[in-house]
Amino acid sequence: MTARARLTLLQTALVLAAGAALTGLTYLLMRRHTFFSRLLDVSGAGPVATPPPMPTVVDPQVFADRVQTATLSALLPQAGLALIVVTALAAVLGWLVAGRVLRPIRVISSTARRLSAENLTERVPVTNPADELSALAGTVNDMLDRIQRGLFERDRVLDSQRLFTANAAHELRTPLTTARTAIDVTLDGHPSRAELLAMAGDVRGSVEHMQRVLDGLLLLARSQAGLAAREPVDLAAVAAAALDAAGARAAAAGVAVRCELRPAQVSGEPVLLERMVGNLVDNAVRYNVAGGRLVVGTGTAGGRAILRISNTGRPVPPGEAETLLEPFVHGQGTRVRTDGLGLGLSIVREVTLAHRGRIAVAARTGGGLDITIDFPQNPVTKDARSQDIDSLQEMALP
């Protein structure tokens, strides 16, 4: 039986039971009650006219008992008929009311049948006023939201794995070819000790390059897979450590470093954030010009933690700046071989997205890049420290 039929039967049974109980109670009360409370005038006198003579003299108490018996005898059929009519009416009304009540559930069921793995955008309408059915519809919608987010995360992880495989195959082909060529050329004949040492050096260089590529790709895949845990991290402290690590290379290249580091608390994974800032500083020094400048600033504005890095360097066309965020792209939107791997800014972008942050890359007029990253601020320090973004904008290279 359907839920509608069961509800109809239940309502009909309740009405029938209540009607039978009411009829029985009425019958019992009338049996105990004296139907006539006045005495009959056996002399025949009346207030207006003389009543017709009675054929025989009957005791008033006996007459009252007869009338009461006749009334009770007539009560049961009439009450039974009324109970049948009321029960039938209750069955019809119960069927209609059950259908009205169950209509939102039918809508939820039909919506759920239409949904599939390819179409999770439809949602169950939430009725007003708020009741148990609207709560059920809200619960189903929340479940669909979680399923959609889970499928999105699954697709994102699968895409990152496919990208990892494609990039690894592409980038490892060159060093493997180099190593194999060095081995084949050296062993073709009778190599000397010097030739063997040269071959070993080429092979070692190729292996080191492959190791750097794999390390970068693994970190890229890790950042794309999401965060396993979150801890409070101060971007100012992370930036200071990155500048200390790159200080010797910056001094050797004649790059002047200017920093203004104000507390900027975020909640994230320290290892990924350290690698992100380290890649930014490393790229800013590596792709700078002799005697160039590097500016690093951190702070907060609008409830978000901000990191800004500007450097001098070669002129970058405005439309090319965003392409530098792609894996293995060094410039001109192509995969070219330099002393770097081309993964630095790709890792920076993925780490930023994993921490629900935003990244903006702009080409400077005089050459170089201006990179601004902002994250949702740590709730513990969100209201304790706030700084206007104008101070960070003033730090940018002119």
Side-chain angles (χ1 to χ4, degrees):
M1 296 180 63
T2 62
R4 185 177 186 179
R6 289 197 298 269
L7 285 176
T8 301
L9 288 179
L10 178 61
Q11 295 176 6
T12 303
L14 291 176
V15 172
L16 179 61
L22 181 62
T23 302
L25 181 62
T26 303
Y27 182 83
L28 293 177
L29 291 176
M30 291 188 65
R31 285 194 60 181
R32 298 180 59 184
H33 183 67
T34 301
F35 189 80
F36 290 103
S37 58
R38 65 182 178 86
L39 297 175
L40 294 176
D41 186 1
V42 295
S43 62
V48 179
T50 302
M54 299 181 65
T56 55
V57 178
V58 181
D59 184 16
Q61 184 63 39
V62 175
F63 180 73
D65 292 340
R66 291 178 180 177
V67 172
Q68 185 180 18
T69 302
T71 302
L72 292 177
S73 299
L75 174 64
L76 290 178
Q78 299 296 328
L81 179 62
L83 183 59
I84 292 174
V85 173
V86 170
T87 302
L89 182 61
V92 174
L93 293 178
W95 178 262
L96 297 177
V97 171
R100 178 78 176 182
V101 172
L102 294 177
R103 183 181 302 170
I105 297 181
R106 291 198 300 271
V107 173
I108 295 174
S109 178
S110 62
T111 303
R113 282 194 299 268
R114 287 194 302 270
L115 293 176
S116 63
E118 290 76 22
N119 178 25
L120 290 175
T121 58
E122 189 175 357
R123 293 295 180 267
V124 178
V126 180
T127 60
N128 289 319
D131 54 10
E132 289 80 0
L133 293 178
S134 62
L136 175 61
T139 302
V140 173
N141 289 338
D142 293 340
M143 179 189 66
L144 293 175
D145 291 338
R146 290 193 296 271
I147 293 175
Q148 190 172 16
R149 287 195 298 269
L151 292 177
F152 175 78
E153 290 297 326
R154 182 205 64 182
D155 294 339
R156 188 175 65 85
V157 172
L158 291 177
D159 290 340
S160 67
Q161 291 177 350
R162 285 192 291 266
L163 179 62
F164 175 87
T165 304
N167 287 333
H170 183 279
E171 289 301 312
L172 294 178
R173 183 181 297 115
T174 300
L176 286 174
T177 302
T178 302
R180 181 173 181 177
T181 301
I183 294 173
D184 291 342
V185 171
T186 303
L187 298 181
D188 186 14
H190 302 282
S192 63
R193 176 180 175 84
E195 291 176 337
L196 290 175
L197 291 176
M199 179 195 69
D202 292 339
V203 173
R204 180 175 182 178
S206 298
V207 171
E208 290 176 350
H209 180 78
M210 288 187 289
Q211 184 177 2
R212 292 197 304 271
V213 170
L214 289 176
D215 289 342
L217 288 173
L218 287 173
L219 183 61
L220 185 62
R222 176 184 174 185
S223 61
Q224 291 172 339
L227 303 181
R230 290 180 176 269
E231 299 178 13
V233 180
D234 189 356
L235 292 180
V238 176
L243 289 172
D244 290 340
R249 288 189 293 108
V255 176
V257 179
R258 176 190 169 197
C259 60
E260 186 174 346
L261 305 178
R262 293 187 176 90
Q265 290 282 345
V266 297
S267 178
E269 189 169 345
V271 176
L272 292 180
L273 291 174
E274 290 171 2
R275 186 62 182 269
M276 179 198 73
V277 179
N279 284 357
L280 287 173
V281 174
D282 180 74
N283 277 10
V285 174
R286 182 188 303 272
Y287 299 104
N288 215 312
V289 295
R293 288 170 294 172
L294 168 62
V295 176
V296 180
T298 60
T300 59
R304 299 183 73 87
I306 299 174
L307 169 68
R308 187 168 190 179
I309 295 182
S310 298
N311 74 319
T312 55
R314 70 170 182 85
V316 179
E320 184 184 312
E322 291 294 333
T323 64
L324 297 176
L325 298 176
E326 299 298 327
F328 304 107
V329 174
H330 297 267
Q332 293 81 40
T334 57
R335 303 162 75 101
V336 298
R337 184 72 57 191
T338 67
D339 57 345
L341 297 176
L343 288 173
L345 291 183
S346 301
I347 294 174
V348 169
R349 181 185 63 177
E350 295 302 330
V351 172
T352 301
L353 295 179
H355 289 80
R356 301 194 306 275
R358 300 174 299 194
I359 181 172
V361 181
R364 298 182 59 253
T365 304
L369 293 175
D370 187 1
I371 301 177
T372 302
I373 300 176
D374 64 277
F375 299 99
Q377 195 175 352
N378 192 332
V380 176
T381 59
K382 179 177 179 180
D383 299 326
R385 301 186 181 101
S386 181
Q387 141 192 355
D388 192 78
I389 195 173
D390 292 339
S391 60
L392 288 177
Q393 291 177 344
E394 293 173 357
M395 290 187 57
L397 289 172

